[in-house]
Amino acid sequence: MSLAKEQLAAETAAQITAGNGERDALMCKAEAYEQELEQARCAQARWSDENDTLTANLTAKKATVEKLHMQIEVAAKSLASTKEAAEKVAKRLTAEVQEQKDARQHCEMRIQALEP
């Protein structure tokens, strides 16, 4: 082989070797990026699962709050009617006590009138 051909073959071989090195480096980078991408996909799946769980918990808590709100409203209405009934009973009992006091006073006055 001539010197020019040998030199061209050597340069070509060097370029191929350099190209193979670059290819190998790029392949390593590509594998690293693929691993990062897979990790990101796994993280996204975990986040999605956690988000679904949190959303379900939030929905359940909202339902519980709404149920408690309705129970509070029912209790408030019941308390208001109980208070109203208690006020009526208190008013009636106050009137009865006053009637008894008046009757007692009337009886005491009659007894005093009958005493010598």
Side-chain angles (χ1 to χ4, degrees):
M1 248 204 247
S2 72
L3 184 61
K5 285 184 179 181
E6 286 180 17
Q7 193 175 11
L8 181 60
E11 287 176 7
T12 304
Q15 288 175 350
I16 290 173
T17 303
N20 286 341
E22 287 179 30
R23 182 199 66 208
D24 291 344
L26 290 173
M27 291 294 285
C28 287
K29 284 185 179 181
E31 287 177 11
Y33 289 140
E34 286 176 2
Q35 287 177 355
E36 285 183 35
L37 182 59
E38 184 59 28
Q39 289 174 350
R41 285 184 181 135
C42 290
Q44 183 180 17
R46 282 192 311 274
W47 177 87
S48 181
D49 290 345
E50 289 174 6
N51 186 50
D52 291 345
T53 301
L54 291 173
T55 300
N57 287 342
L58 181 60
T59 301
K61 290 189 186 304
K62 282 181 180 179
T64 300
V65 167
E66 288 174 6
K67 183 179 177 183
L68 290 172
H69 184 261
M70 288 188 303
Q71 289 175 345
I72 288 170
E73 285 181 352
V74 168
K77 288 177 184 175
S78 176
L79 180 60
S81 66
T82 301
K83 181 181 176 187
E84 184 180 323
E87 287 172 351
K88 286 179 182 177
V89 168
K91 189 174 183 179
R92 181 180 52 84
L93 290 175
T94 301
E96 287 178 11
V97 167
Q98 188 60 47
E99 286 178 20
Q100 289 176 359
K101 284 180 180 179
D102 292 346
R104 181 176 177 186
Q105 187 178 16
H106 180 72
C107 288
E108 287 175 354
M109 288 174 49
R110 287 187 70 194
I111 290 171
Q112 285 179 353
L114 294 174
E115 289 180 349

